């Protein structure tokens, strides 16, 4: 009887382990398939946070044209890198128009994100390539979305854009976070530890 219980427990443990490994692998596919947009405000003052959103709107208004020829994350990253000066120009013009003299920096980087939810889509924790825009000192709360597939661009059809890039199982993960809440947390812990040992932060 004890042997039967131990065997059942071992089988259950293996099932949970393989299920977790599969979920983590699917999350890695997601993080490797998207390009995120990350905008850092100068500070957390009400004025600086409002400015951050104005910069966001200005950049997104032009982003459709900048990224219209992207057919993959790699395409989007190349276009972002080539368009950094243009993106900075758009952001700087918006900042100046609002009466501020902050500097702005646009860069393509690879960075760690915790689990985040954007408009009912949950992005699992992990290291993502990102177009990062830093306003002034960049000490304020950030705003983020997904630049590719272009689910945060004006007129984007989120479902269609995701289906062009991800498989059904991966879209299910993004759109049904409550169903996978425990697995999301496990992935976040694992990725946080991995990021700590890789980058020391």
């Amino acid at each position: 009887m004890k042997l039967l219980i131990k065997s059942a427990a071992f089988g259950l443990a293996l099932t949970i382990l393989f299920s977790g490994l599969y979920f983590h692998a699917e999350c890695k596919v997601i993080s490797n398939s998207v390009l995120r947009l990350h905008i850092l405000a100068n500070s957390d003052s009400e004025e600086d946070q409002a400015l951050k959103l104005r910069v966001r709107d200005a950049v997104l208004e032009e982003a459709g044209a900048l990224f219209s020829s992207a057919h993959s994350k790699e395409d989007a990253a190349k276009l972002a890198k080539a368009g950094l000066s243009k993106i900075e120009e758009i952001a700087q013009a918006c900042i100046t128009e609002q009466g501020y003299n902050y500097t702005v920096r646009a860069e393509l980087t690879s960075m760690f994100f915790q689990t985040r939810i954007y408009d009912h889509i949950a992005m699992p924790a992990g290291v993502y390539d990102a177009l990062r825009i830093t306003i002034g000192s960049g000490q304020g709360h950030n705003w983020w979305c997904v630049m590719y597939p272009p689910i945060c661009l004006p007129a984007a059809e989120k479902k269609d854009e995701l289906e062009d890039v991800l498989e059904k199982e991966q879209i299910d993960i993004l759109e049904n976070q409550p169903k996978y809440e425990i697995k999301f947390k496990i992935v976040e812990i694992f990725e946080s530890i991995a990021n700590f040992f890789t980058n020391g932060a």
Side-chain angles (χ1 to χ4, degrees):
M1 184 65 177
K2 288 184 178 180
L3 181 60
L4 182 61
I5 293 174
K6 287 182 179 179
S7 297
F10 181 70
L12 178 60
L14 282 179
T15 299
I16 293 172
L17 174 62
F18 284 118
S19 175
L21 289 174
Y22 175 79
F23 185 83
H24 182 252
E26 292 296 301
C27 289
K28 291 295 287 185
V29 171
I30 292 170
S31 63
N32 289 333
S33 301
V34 305
L35 177 69
R36 294 173 71 149
L37 173 63
H38 189 228
I39 303 178
L40 291 162
N42 178 67
S43 76
D44 282 334
S45 72
E46 185 176 337
E47 294 79 10
D48 283 349
Q49 287 296 310
L51 177 63
K52 174 190 69 178
L53 297 181
R54 288 186 179 276
V55 169
R56 172 202 66 185
D57 292 343
V59 170
L60 290 181
E61 187 174 339
E62 299 293 334
L66 287 172
F67 293 93
S68 61
S69 62
H71 299 293
S72 68
K73 194 281 289 289
E74 289 72 25
D75 286 348
K78 289 178 182 177
L79 290 168
K81 188 173 183 179
L84 289 177
S85 295
K86 177 64 174 178
I87 293 166
E88 284 185 352
E89 181 182 315
I90 293 167
Q92 192 68 68
C94 177
I95 292 168
T96 302
E97 184 179 296
Q98 297 303 313
Y100 295 88
N101 61 358
Y102 299 141
T103 58
V104 65
R105 184 174 74 256
E107 59 187 322
L108 191 64
T109 186
S110 182
M111 58 186 295
F112 175 76
F113 287 88
Q114 299 282 357
T115 301
R116 290 289 182 267
I117 297 176
Y118 173 79
D119 197 16
H120 307 299
I121 292 176
M123 300 299 296
V127 176
Y128 291 78
D129 288 335
L131 169 59
R132 181 167 62 190
I133 299 173
T134 304
I135 302 170
S137 65
Q139 297 301 305
H141 276 84
N142 67 81
W143 181 88
W144 73 271
C145 71
V146 177
M147 185 65 77
Y148 183 87
I151 62 174
C152 66
L153 298 187
E157 294 293 337
K158 295 179 177 59
K159 186 73 172 180
D160 292 342
E161 302 293 353
L162 289 173
E163 288 177 348
D164 286 342
V165 177
L166 301 173
E167 299 296 331
K168 181 176 66 175
E169 293 82 0
Q170 294 144 17
I171 294 174
D172 183 60
I173 290 172
L174 296 181
E175 295 183 338
N176 295 285
Q177 187 264 350
K179 183 169 73 173
Y180 301 109
E181 188 168 358
I182 294 176
K183 290 182 179 179
F184 263 96
K185 194 61 183 177
I186 292 172
V187 167
E188 184 168 306
I189 292 171
F190 178 84
E191 289 289 342
S192 295
I193 293 172
N195 182 65
F196 176 81
F197 283 106
T198 301
N199 301 311

mmCIF file of all heavy atoms in Angstrom, residues 99-140:
data_model
loop_
_atom_site.group_PDB
_atom_site.id
_atom_site.type_symbol
_atom_site.label_atom_id
_atom_site.label_comp_id
_atom_site.label_asym_id
_atom_site.label_seq_id
_atom_site.Cartn_x
_atom_site.Cartn_y
_atom_site.Cartn_z
ATOM 1 N N GLY A 99 6.435 72.311 -23.096
ATOM 2 C CA GLY A 99 7.100 73.311 -22.273
ATOM 3 C C GLY A 99 8.169 72.779 -21.343
ATOM 4 O O GLY A 99 8.567 73.468 -20.387
ATOM 5 N N TYR A 100 8.674 71.572 -21.603
ATOM 6 C CA TYR A 100 9.718 70.993 -20.761
ATOM 7 C C TYR A 100 11.044 70.971 -21.521
ATOM 8 O O TYR A 100 11.066 70.945 -22.760
ATOM 9 C CB TYR A 100 9.346 69.561 -20.348
ATOM 10 C CG TYR A 100 8.125 69.479 -19.458
ATOM 11 C CD1 TYR A 100 6.847 69.387 -20.020
ATOM 12 C CD2 TYR A 100 8.245 69.503 -18.076
ATOM 13 C CE1 TYR A 100 5.719 69.319 -19.215
ATOM 14 C CE2 TYR A 100 7.120 69.429 -17.259
ATOM 15 C CZ TYR A 100 5.859 69.338 -17.836
ATOM 16 O OH TYR A 100 4.750 69.270 -17.040
ATOM 17 N N ASN A 101 12.133 70.952 -20.767
ATOM 18 C CA ASN A 101 13.449 70.907 -21.409
ATOM 19 C C ASN A 101 14.189 69.603 -21.106
ATOM 20 O O ASN A 101 15.416 69.549 -21.149
ATOM 21 C CB ASN A 101 14.304 72.107 -20.981
ATOM 22 C CG ASN A 101 14.553 72.140 -19.474
ATOM 23 O OD1 ASN A 101 14.054 71.291 -18.731
ATOM 24 N ND2 ASN A 101 15.324 73.118 -19.021
ATOM 25 N N TYR A 102 13.437 68.558 -20.780
ATOM 26 C CA TYR A 102 14.063 67.266 -20.513
ATOM 27 C C TYR A 102 14.728 66.719 -21.775
ATOM 28 O O TYR A 102 14.243 66.914 -22.888
ATOM 29 C CB TYR A 102 13.020 66.236 -20.062
ATOM 30 C CG TYR A 102 12.284 66.572 -18.795
ATOM 31 C CD1 TYR A 102 10.922 66.285 -18.684
ATOM 32 C CD2 TYR A 102 12.923 67.149 -17.705
ATOM 33 C CE1 TYR A 102 10.222 66.569 -17.526
ATOM 34 C CE2 TYR A 102 12.229 67.441 -16.542
ATOM 35 C CZ TYR A 102 10.876 67.149 -16.456
ATOM 36 O OH TYR A 102 10.189 67.430 -15.309
ATOM 37 N N THR A 103 15.810 66.000 -21.562
ATOM 38 C CA THR A 103 16.395 65.244 -22.664
ATOM 39 C C THR A 103 15.594 63.950 -22.818
ATOM 40 O O THR A 103 14.821 63.562 -21.930
ATOM 41 C CB THR A 103 17.861 64.888 -22.376
ATOM 42 O OG1 THR A 103 17.930 64.133 -21.154
ATOM 43 C CG2 THR A 103 18.705 66.149 -22.248
ATOM 44 N N VAL A 104 15.794 63.277 -23.933
ATOM 45 C CA VAL A 104 15.127 61.992 -24.142
ATOM 46 C C VAL A 104 16.097 61.056 -24.855
ATOM 47 O O VAL A 104 16.898 61.497 -25.692
ATOM 48 C CB VAL A 104 13.819 62.159 -24.954
ATOM 49 C CG1 VAL A 104 14.108 62.656 -26.361
ATOM 50 C CG2 VAL A 104 13.037 60.853 -24.997
ATOM 51 N N ARG A 105 16.060 59.793 -24.489
ATOM 52 C CA ARG A 105 16.945 58.813 -25.109
ATOM 53 C C ARG A 105 16.140 57.591 -25.522
ATOM 54 O O ARG A 105 15.371 57.043 -24.727
ATOM 55 C CB ARG A 105 18.049 58.390 -24.140
ATOM 56 C CG ARG A 105 19.068 57.423 -24.754
ATOM 57 C CD ARG A 105 20.221 57.135 -23.810
ATOM 58 N NE ARG A 105 19.842 56.246 -22.715
ATOM 59 C CZ ARG A 105 19.613 56.626 -21.475
ATOM 60 N NH1 ARG A 105 19.699 57.911 -21.144
ATOM 61 N NH2 ARG A 105 19.282 55.768 -20.534
ATOM 62 N N ALA A 106 16.308 57.178 -26.768
ATOM 63 C CA ALA A 106 15.670 55.957 -27.265
ATOM 64 C C ALA A 106 16.758 54.928 -27.526
ATOM 65 O O ALA A 106 17.806 55.254 -28.085
ATOM 66 C CB ALA A 106 14.885 56.241 -28.541
ATOM 67 N N GLU A 107 16.517 53.708 -27.111
ATOM 68 C CA GLU A 107 17.505 52.654 -27.312
ATOM 69 C C GLU A 107 16.817 51.304 -27.451
ATOM 70 O O GLU A 107 15.697 51.105 -26.962
ATOM 71 C CB GLU A 107 18.492 52.613 -26.143
ATOM 72 C CG GLU A 107 17.826 52.367 -24.798
ATOM 73 C CD GLU A 107 18.784 52.499 -23.631
ATOM 74 O OE1 GLU A 107 19.949 52.076 -23.774
ATOM 75 O OE2 GLU A 107 18.361 53.016 -22.573
ATOM 76 N N LEU A 108 17.489 50.421 -28.122
ATOM 77 C CA LEU A 108 17.015 49.047 -28.232
ATOM 78 C C LEU A 108 17.816 48.232 -27.228
ATOM 79 O O LEU A 108 19.047 48.234 -27.255
ATOM 80 C CB LEU A 108 17.231 48.520 -29.649
ATOM 81 C CG LEU A 108 16.560 47.187 -29.987
ATOM 82 C CD1 LEU A 108 15.045 47.318 -29.912
ATOM 83 C CD2 LEU A 108 16.979 46.725 -31.376
ATOM 84 N N THR A 109 17.123 47.565 -26.325
ATOM 85 C CA THR A 109 17.816 46.868 -25.254
ATOM 86 C C THR A 109 17.148 45.535 -24.962
ATOM 87 O O THR A 109 16.046 45.256 -25.451
ATOM 88 C CB THR A 109 17.836 47.736 -23.976
ATOM 89 O OG1 THR A 109 18.630 47.105 -22.971
ATOM 90 C CG2 THR A 109 16.426 47.948 -23.439
ATOM 91 N N SER A 110 17.817 44.726 -24.193
ATOM 92 C CA SER A 110 17.256 43.464 -23.721
ATOM 93 C C SER A 110 17.143 43.591 -22.211
ATOM 94 O O SER A 110 18.139 43.873 -21.535
ATOM 95 C CB SER A 110 18.173 42.297 -24.103
ATOM 96 O OG SER A 110 17.626 41.065 -23.700
ATOM 97 N N MET A 111 15.944 43.405 -21.671
ATOM 98 C CA MET A 111 15.750 43.666 -20.254
ATOM 99 C C MET A 111 14.717 42.725 -19.641
ATOM 100 O O MET A 111 13.890 42.143 -20.339
ATOM 101 C CB MET A 111 15.318 45.116 -20.035
ATOM 102 C CG MET A 111 14.047 45.509 -20.750
ATOM 103 S SD MET A 111 13.663 47.275 -20.590
ATOM 104 C CE MET A 111 13.369 47.404 -18.824
ATOM 105 N N PHE A 112 14.800 42.604 -18.324
ATOM 106 C CA PHE A 112 13.895 41.716 -17.596
ATOM 107 C C PHE A 112 12.615 42.455 -17.230
ATOM 108 O O PHE A 112 12.649 43.593 -16.767
ATOM 109 C CB PHE A 112 14.571 41.209 -16.320
ATOM 110 C CG PHE A 112 13.666 40.378 -15.452
ATOM 111 C CD1 PHE A 112 13.358 39.073 -15.798
ATOM 112 C CD2 PHE A 112 13.106 40.910 -14.300
ATOM 113 C CE1 PHE A 112 12.514 38.307 -15.007
ATOM 114 C CE2 PHE A 112 12.266 40.154 -13.501
ATOM 115 C CZ PHE A 112 11.969 38.849 -13.861
ATOM 116 N N PHE A 113 11.488 41.790 -17.449
ATOM 117 C CA PHE A 113 10.182 42.312 -17.051
ATOM 118 C C PHE A 113 9.510 41.309 -16.119
ATOM 119 O O PHE A 113 9.572 40.100 -16.352
ATOM 120 C CB PHE A 113 9.262 42.494 -18.268
ATOM 121 C CG PHE A 113 9.612 43.646 -19.160
ATOM 122 C CD1 PHE A 113 10.524 43.488 -20.189
ATOM 123 C CD2 PHE A 113 9.016 44.884 -18.991
ATOM 124 C CE1 PHE A 113 10.840 44.542 -21.035
ATOM 125 C CE2 PHE A 113 9.321 45.949 -19.831
ATOM 126 C CZ PHE A 113 10.234 45.777 -20.857
ATOM 127 N N GLN A 114 8.857 41.811 -15.082
ATOM 128 C CA GLN A 114 7.982 40.975 -14.271
ATOM 129 C C GLN A 114 6.715 40.678 -15.080
ATOM 130 O O GLN A 114 6.498 41.254 -16.144
ATOM 131 C CB GLN A 114 7.605 41.710 -12.978
ATOM 132 C CG GLN A 114 8.772 42.057 -12.079
ATOM 133 C CD GLN A 114 9.276 40.871 -11.272
ATOM 134 O OE1 GLN A 114 8.723 39.774 -11.340
ATOM 135 N NE2 GLN A 114 10.337 41.083 -10.507
ATOM 136 N N THR A 115 5.888 39.783 -14.585
ATOM 137 C CA THR A 115 4.601 39.530 -15.229
ATOM 138 C C THR A 115 3.803 40.829 -15.254
ATOM 139 O O THR A 115 3.680 41.512 -14.240
ATOM 140 C CB THR A 115 3.803 38.463 -14.453
ATOM 141 O OG1 THR A 115 4.562 37.257 -14.414
ATOM 142 C CG2 THR A 115 2.465 38.195 -15.125
ATOM 143 N N ARG A 116 3.289 41.179 -16.416
ATOM 144 C CA ARG A 116 2.530 42.421 -16.562
ATOM 145 C C ARG A 116 1.288 42.165 -17.412
ATOM 146 O O ARG A 116 1.296 41.316 -18.304
ATOM 147 C CB ARG A 116 3.377 43.512 -17.223
ATOM 148 C CG ARG A 116 4.500 44.045 -16.346
ATOM 149 C CD ARG A 116 3.957 44.882 -15.197
ATOM 150 N NE ARG A 116 5.021 45.443 -14.381
ATOM 151 C CZ ARG A 116 5.510 44.885 -13.296
ATOM 152 N NH1 ARG A 116 5.044 43.712 -12.902
ATOM 153 N NH2 ARG A 116 6.468 45.474 -12.600
ATOM 154 N N ILE A 117 0.228 42.917 -17.123
ATOM 155 C CA ILE A 117 -1.019 42.783 -17.873
ATOM 156 C C ILE A 117 -1.278 44.077 -18.628
ATOM 157 O O ILE A 117 -1.226 45.168 -18.054
ATOM 158 C CB ILE A 117 -2.200 42.464 -16.937
ATOM 159 C CG1 ILE A 117 -1.968 41.115 -16.248
ATOM 160 C CG2 ILE A 117 -3.514 42.440 -17.721
ATOM 161 C CD1 ILE A 117 -3.026 40.745 -15.229
ATOM 162 N N TYR A 118 -1.500 43.945 -19.929
ATOM 163 C CA TYR A 118 -1.812 45.095 -20.772
ATOM 164 C C TYR A 118 -3.128 44.818 -21.488
ATOM 165 O O TYR A 118 -3.212 43.927 -22.333
ATOM 166 C CB TYR A 118 -0.699 45.344 -21.802
ATOM 167 C CG TYR A 118 -1.048 46.414 -22.819
ATOM 168 C CD1 TYR A 118 -0.950 47.757 -22.483
ATOM 169 C CD2 TYR A 118 -1.498 46.076 -24.087
ATOM 170 C CE1 TYR A 118 -1.285 48.741 -23.395
ATOM 171 C CE2 TYR A 118 -1.837 47.055 -25.009
ATOM 172 C CZ TYR A 118 -1.728 48.382 -24.662
ATOM 173 O OH TYR A 118 -2.073 49.357 -25.563
ATOM 174 N N ASP A 119 -4.155 45.576 -21.122
ATOM 175 C CA ASP A 119 -5.440 45.470 -21.807
ATOM 176 C C ASP A 119 -5.905 44.016 -21.902
ATOM 177 O O ASP A 119 -6.226 43.512 -22.976
ATOM 178 C CB ASP A 119 -5.336 46.092 -23.203
ATOM 179 C CG ASP A 119 -6.703 46.389 -23.796
ATOM 180 O OD1 ASP A 119 -7.688 46.411 -23.024
ATOM 181 O OD2 ASP A 119 -6.789 46.581 -25.020
ATOM 182 N N HIS A 120 -5.907 43.325 -20.764
ATOM 183 C CA HIS A 120 -6.392 41.945 -20.636
ATOM 184 C C HIS A 120 -5.450 40.901 -21.239
ATOM 185 O O HIS A 120 -5.809 39.728 -21.340
ATOM 186 C CB HIS A 120 -7.790 41.786 -21.250
ATOM 187 C CG HIS A 120 -8.791 42.768 -20.730
ATOM 188 N ND1 HIS A 120 -9.136 42.832 -19.397
ATOM 189 C CD2 HIS A 120 -9.494 43.748 -21.343
ATOM 190 C CE1 HIS A 120 -10.023 43.797 -19.221
ATOM 191 N NE2 HIS A 120 -10.249 44.369 -20.382
ATOM 192 N N ILE A 121 -4.261 41.321 -21.652
ATOM 193 C CA ILE A 121 -3.270 40.365 -22.142
ATOM 194 C C ILE A 121 -2.131 40.314 -21.130
ATOM 195 O O ILE A 121 -1.533 41.340 -20.809
ATOM 196 C CB ILE A 121 -2.731 40.769 -23.525
ATOM 197 C CG1 ILE A 121 -3.844 40.638 -24.563
ATOM 198 C CG2 ILE A 121 -1.536 39.909 -23.923
ATOM 199 C CD1 ILE A 121 -3.455 41.097 -25.946
ATOM 200 N N ALA A 122 -1.847 39.129 -20.612
ATOM 201 C CA ALA A 122 -0.798 38.969 -19.598
ATOM 202 C C ALA A 122 0.489 38.513 -20.264
ATOM 203 O O ALA A 122 0.520 37.489 -20.935
ATOM 204 C CB ALA A 122 -1.235 37.951 -18.548
ATOM 205 N N MET A 123 1.555 39.282 -20.075
ATOM 206 C CA MET A 123 2.860 38.905 -20.598
ATOM 207 C C MET A 123 3.659 38.259 -19.472
ATOM 208 O O MET A 123 3.862 38.873 -18.421
ATOM 209 C CB MET A 123 3.606 40.131 -21.124
ATOM 210 C CG MET A 123 2.890 40.872 -22.238
ATOM 211 S SD MET A 123 2.622 39.848 -23.710
ATOM 212 C CE MET A 123 4.310 39.540 -24.210
ATOM 213 N N PRO A 124 4.101 37.020 -19.654
ATOM 214 C CA PRO A 124 4.838 36.334 -18.585
ATOM 215 C C PRO A 124 6.184 36.981 -18.312
ATOM 216 O O PRO A 124 6.767 37.637 -19.181
ATOM 217 C CB PRO A 124 5.007 34.912 -19.139
ATOM 218 C CG PRO A 124 4.913 35.062 -20.619
ATOM 219 C CD PRO A 124 3.946 36.180 -20.853
ATOM 220 N N ALA A 125 6.667 36.801 -17.094
ATOM 221 C CA ALA A 125 7.971 37.342 -16.715
ATOM 222 C C ALA A 125 9.062 36.740 -17.591
ATOM 223 O O ALA A 125 8.968 35.598 -18.034
ATOM 224 C CB ALA A 125 8.251 37.037 -15.247
ATOM 225 N N GLY A 126 10.096 37.534 -17.834
ATOM 226 C CA GLY A 126 11.211 37.038 -18.627
ATOM 227 C C GLY A 126 12.020 38.177 -19.203
ATOM 228 O O GLY A 126 11.721 39.355 -18.980
ATOM 229 N N VAL A 127 13.042 37.819 -19.938
ATOM 230 C CA VAL A 127 13.889 38.808 -20.607
ATOM 231 C C VAL A 127 13.338 39.036 -22.011
ATOM 232 O O VAL A 127 13.157 38.086 -22.778
ATOM 233 C CB VAL A 127 15.351 38.331 -20.669
ATOM 234 C CG1 VAL A 127 16.202 39.316 -21.464
ATOM 235 C CG2 VAL A 127 15.911 38.164 -19.256
ATOM 236 N N TYR A 128 13.072 40.290 -22.319
ATOM 237 C CA TYR A 128 12.491 40.670 -23.609
ATOM 238 C C TYR A 128 13.375 41.709 -24.290
ATOM 239 O O TYR A 128 14.010 42.530 -23.619
ATOM 240 C CB TYR A 128 11.112 41.303 -23.423
ATOM 241 C CG TYR A 128 10.017 40.382 -22.961
ATOM 242 C CD1 TYR A 128 9.912 40.007 -21.630
ATOM 243 C CD2 TYR A 128 9.050 39.910 -23.855
ATOM 244 C CE1 TYR A 128 8.889 39.179 -21.191
ATOM 245 C CE2 TYR A 128 8.020 39.090 -23.434
ATOM 246 C CZ TYR A 128 7.944 38.726 -22.101
ATOM 247 O OH TYR A 128 6.923 37.906 -21.673
ATOM 248 N N ASP A 129 13.377 41.694 -25.611
ATOM 249 C CA ASP A 129 13.931 42.820 -26.348
ATOM 250 C C ASP A 129 12.915 43.953 -26.256
ATOM 251 O O ASP A 129 11.702 43.718 -26.331
ATOM 252 C CB ASP A 129 14.166 42.454 -27.813
ATOM 253 C CG ASP A 129 15.351 41.510 -27.987
ATOM 254 O OD1 ASP A 129 16.243 41.513 -27.116
ATOM 255 O OD2 ASP A 129 15.382 40.772 -28.984
ATOM 256 N N ALA A 130 13.413 45.169 -26.086
ATOM 257 C CA ALA A 130 12.499 46.291 -25.889
ATOM 258 C C ALA A 130 13.054 47.570 -26.495
ATOM 259 O O ALA A 130 14.265 47.807 -26.482
ATOM 260 C CB ALA A 130 12.232 46.505 -24.395
ATOM 261 N N LEU A 131 12.149 48.362 -27.030
ATOM 262 C CA LEU A 131 12.462 49.729 -27.422
ATOM 263 C C LEU A 131 12.189 50.577 -26.185
ATOM 264 O O LEU A 131 11.043 50.712 -25.761
ATOM 265 C CB LEU A 131 11.568 50.169 -28.585
ATOM 266 C CG LEU A 131 11.595 51.656 -28.942
ATOM 267 C CD1 LEU A 131 12.998 52.106 -29.320
ATOM 268 C CD2 LEU A 131 10.609 51.952 -30.065
ATOM 269 N N ARG A 132 13.254 51.098 -25.586
ATOM 270 C CA ARG A 132 13.112 51.842 -24.335
ATOM 271 C C ARG A 132 13.327 53.330 -24.586
ATOM 272 O O ARG A 132 14.318 53.734 -25.188
ATOM 273 C CB ARG A 132 14.104 51.334 -23.287
ATOM 274 C CG ARG A 132 13.987 52.065 -21.945
ATOM 275 C CD ARG A 132 14.738 51.331 -20.854
ATOM 276 N NE ARG A 132 16.159 51.235 -21.133
ATOM 277 C CZ ARG A 132 16.994 50.463 -20.427
ATOM 278 N NH1 ARG A 132 16.532 49.715 -19.442
ATOM 279 N NH2 ARG A 132 18.279 50.435 -20.727
ATOM 280 N N ILE A 133 12.378 54.125 -24.103
ATOM 281 C CA ILE A 133 12.460 55.579 -24.222
ATOM 282 C C ILE A 133 12.546 56.154 -22.814
ATOM 283 O O ILE A 133 11.643 55.943 -21.996
ATOM 284 C CB ILE A 133 11.231 56.146 -24.964
ATOM 285 C CG1 ILE A 133 11.153 55.564 -26.382
ATOM 286 C CG2 ILE A 133 11.286 57.669 -25.011
ATOM 287 C CD1 ILE A 133 9.882 55.931 -27.127
ATOM 288 N N THR A 134 13.630 56.858 -22.536
ATOM 289 C CA THR A 134 13.850 57.423 -21.203
ATOM 290 C C THR A 134 13.719 58.937 -21.263
ATOM 291 O O THR A 134 14.446 59.602 -22.009
ATOM 292 C CB THR A 134 15.248 57.047 -20.672
ATOM 293 O OG1 THR A 134 15.395 55.622 -20.680
ATOM 294 C CG2 THR A 134 15.438 57.560 -19.249
ATOM 295 N N ILE A 135 12.786 59.461 -20.490
ATOM 296 C CA ILE A 135 12.556 60.907 -20.434
ATOM 297 C C ILE A 135 13.289 61.472 -19.224
ATOM 298 O O ILE A 135 13.081 61.012 -18.091
ATOM 299 C CB ILE A 135 11.051 61.220 -20.320
ATOM 300 C CG1 ILE A 135 10.283 60.607 -21.502
ATOM 301 C CG2 ILE A 135 10.824 62.731 -20.256
ATOM 302 C CD1 ILE A 135 8.769 60.667 -21.342
ATOM 303 N N GLY A 136 14.156 62.457 -19.461
ATOM 304 C CA GLY A 136 14.892 63.069 -18.359
ATOM 305 C C GLY A 136 15.704 62.052 -17.587
ATOM 306 O O GLY A 136 16.454 61.261 -18.151
ATOM 307 N N SER A 137 15.520 62.037 -16.262
ATOM 308 C CA SER A 137 16.284 61.130 -15.403
ATOM 309 C C SER A 137 15.742 59.705 -15.424
ATOM 310 O O SER A 137 16.398 58.779 -14.946
ATOM 311 C CB SER A 137 16.275 61.649 -13.959
ATOM 312 O OG SER A 137 14.951 61.628 -13.433
ATOM 313 N N GLY A 138 14.525 59.529 -15.950
ATOM 314 C CA GLY A 138 13.949 58.184 -16.034
ATOM 315 C C GLY A 138 13.665 57.548 -14.686
ATOM 316 O O GLY A 138 13.649 56.323 -14.569
ATOM 317 N N GLN A 139 13.393 58.366 -13.674
ATOM 318 C CA GLN A 139 13.180 57.848 -12.322
ATOM 319 C C GLN A 139 11.710 57.584 -11.994
ATOM 320 O O GLN A 139 11.395 57.103 -10.906
ATOM 321 C CB GLN A 139 13.751 58.834 -11.295
ATOM 322 C CG GLN A 139 15.259 59.022 -11.399
ATOM 323 C CD GLN A 139 16.014 57.721 -11.202
ATOM 324 O OE1 GLN A 139 15.835 57.046 -10.196
ATOM 325 N NE2 GLN A 139 16.846 57.366 -12.169
ATOM 326 N N GLY A 140 10.825 57.895 -12.927
ATOM 327 C CA GLY A 140 9.399 57.723 -12.654
ATOM 328 C C GLY A 140 8.878 56.363 -13.085
ATOM 329 O O GLY A 140 9.589 55.571 -13.713
#
